[in-house]
Amino acid sequence: MKRLFSGYFWIGGDKMFQIIWQHTRRWQRVCLFAAPLVMLMEVFCDLQQPTLMSKIVDTGLAGSGHPQFILQTGGVMLLIALVGACSGSGCNALASYASLKMGQRLRNHLLSLALATRNGHDLSTPTLITRITNDVIQMQNLVMTLTRSLVRAPFLLLGGIVMAFLISPRIAWILAIVVPVLLLFMGLVIRHSVPLFTKMQQAIDRINRVMRETLLGIKTVKSFTLENQQQQLFDQINQQVQTSSVAAQASVIILAPVVTLALNLSIVAALWFGGGLHASHLITTGQIMAFVNYMIQITTAMINTVNTVSSLSRAQTATARIQAVLDLPQDAEPTATVALPTDTTLRFEHVNFAYPGGENVLTDIDFELPAGAKLGIIGTTGSGKTTLVDLLTRLYDPTSGRITIGGVPINQLSLAQLRQQVAVALQNSVLFSGTIASNLRYGKETATDAELVVAAQAAAAADFIAARPGGYQAQVTQRGNNFSGGQKQRLNIARALVAQAAILVLDDTTSAVDLATDAHIQQALRQVRQGKTTIMIAQRIAALQDSDLILVLDHGHIVARGQHATLLQESAFYREVAVAQLGKEVLTDA
């Protein structure tokens, strides 16, 4: 029997308990232990009822009857039933409290790990969302199962067998035959069904992933008329879900009929042999009735045990998926060893970077940007421009070399210090649900309304904000879908300006705005950023030509550097882009 259950009942069992234990605290752990104890009280109360009923039949109804005994025993049965009901409710309350608190802590932990991971991982956003939501719910259900069903069913099964032997030992041999056979059959069902339920859960995970990806990328799907293709993919995976679900349910569908058949045959045998013993005055009617009731409790507990074990397969899959998030490589938060430098001279010293298992994305990046200067970066797609910014903000760490601000290596600064010094506006403008003002204050929580207005004006966003009902209190929907691409970019710039950081990084943040608006933004930036370090990544030469230093990147290498006029003479790529955008007159002007 052990062999039947081993490898299936406790798949990932150690990880399950470890995750649950790590994400509960003192009172939740008390509840985890108290809930099963309270459930045992309910099981004890349920096991007393058939015995008390047999006493009513054998004593209270014997002869001319004993109404007072019937009332007293009936009162005891009612009292025990109330205690059992209260115990069951108490177990539910304790288990629910522990489960909900564990789920809350686990969700917070998983999200914090996803946010803290800086060096990349293979888990996509839809996968993380599924694991933080659906899989955590499965873990909550596991806590409820462990503290309720997994306690009630086995103890009711064991207790029913013991009570049946105690009250009717002369016909208990029926159980000695039926119970081992049913346990063997139950083990075979579990051994066959648990892998199938695991496979079903994996299929459900795949369909969730496809649905999330399709809905999140619905604009792309419609733009390329991929509706039929995505529908076919969904239908294919949906069919897999149906097939695996049918197989899983079919593996346990025979359980109830077989157990019920065994129960009915056992009852017939109990009545047959019990009747003979009753005729010989070797057993009472009440004992036969109690024995039959215990048999019903035993077989019901068997069915519930199999259903409980089968449901654990979902938690097993969820455990493995949650553990993958918990195992994400985490970089220790650096403890600040130096004070925040006042000098903002930026230095990249022979920096190289490669993603894990890949080739260099950046190679021998070496330059110095004096405090208060403007750096322009231009290059082909995939040349490493954004990666360079990611290294500066320590979303990733260099493979070799170092980056310093004011002569201080940035890995000696805490992330809070570093990001207080550096504000970034990325090309992918993400807005959060809330108001325009709340989004702008992501740059600085304590920013005044006047500071928001100044930043919005510099980003050419003040006019369309004023045009909206509510102005700065206008609502922003999820991901800013009620704003155009250009408007989101301008709000993104304004958010970075609100921070008033010593170093401002703009990563191609005006690609979706028209040339006139872009020119207005560049002029405003010159005024509000005067004397402060600015790094601008752009494909428009007009945004870069006033830079103190311009870097031309190609395949992760700096292939040219200098000011606008110098690069027109020395860089064929830069000259070609400038002529294409500004006309041949730019060569004459230079």
Side-chain angles (χ1 to χ4, degrees), residues 11 68 97 133 138 206 267 322 437 451 530 586:
I11 292 175
Q68 185 176 1
Y97 173 76
T133 54
Q138 293 298 335
R206 286 195 297 272
I267 291 175
I322 288 175
E451 289 175 327
Q530 188 173 5
V586 70

Side-chain angles (χ1 to χ4, degrees), residues 20-96:
I20 292 172
W21 189 256
Q22 289 177 346
H23 295 89
T24 51
R25 294 297 179 265
R26 183 177 62 178
W27 289 113
Q28 292 93 59
R29 292 174 181 176
V30 170
C31 291
L32 286 177
F33 286 103
L37 296 177
V38 176
M39 176 55 69
L40 288 179
M41 176 59 70
E42 183 186 16
V43 172
F44 175 80
C45 293
D46 289 345
L47 291 173
Q48 301 309 306
Q49 298 294 358
T51 300
L52 293 172
M53 180 194 66
S54 71
K55 292 181 178 180
I56 290 179
V57 173
D58 292 338
T59 304
L61 299 179
S64 57
H66 298 80
Q68 185 176 1
F69 180 83
I70 294 174
L71 290 176
Q72 289 177 348
T73 307
V76 172
M77 291 180 68
L78 178 61
L79 180 62
I80 290 177
L82 290 175
V83 172
C86 292
S87 299
S89 299
C91 176
N92 289 340
L94 293 171
S96 297

Side-chain angles (χ1 to χ4, degrees), residues 476-499:
V476 178
T477 61
Q478 185 178 18
R479 298 181 65 85
N481 289 331
N482 56 334
F483 291 88
S484 68
Q487 289 175 335
K488 286 193 287 187
Q489 283 194 334
R490 283 178 277 173
L491 288 174
N492 193 23
I493 295 172
R495 180 168 56 195
L497 291 174
V498 167

Side-chain angles (χ1 to χ4, degrees), residues 189-205:
V189 169
I190 291 173
R191 178 168 184 165
H192 181 60
S193 66
V194 168
L196 294 176
F197 275 99
T198 300
K199 186 177 180 180
M200 179 188 75
Q201 185 61 34
Q202 292 170 346
I204 292 174
D205 292 338

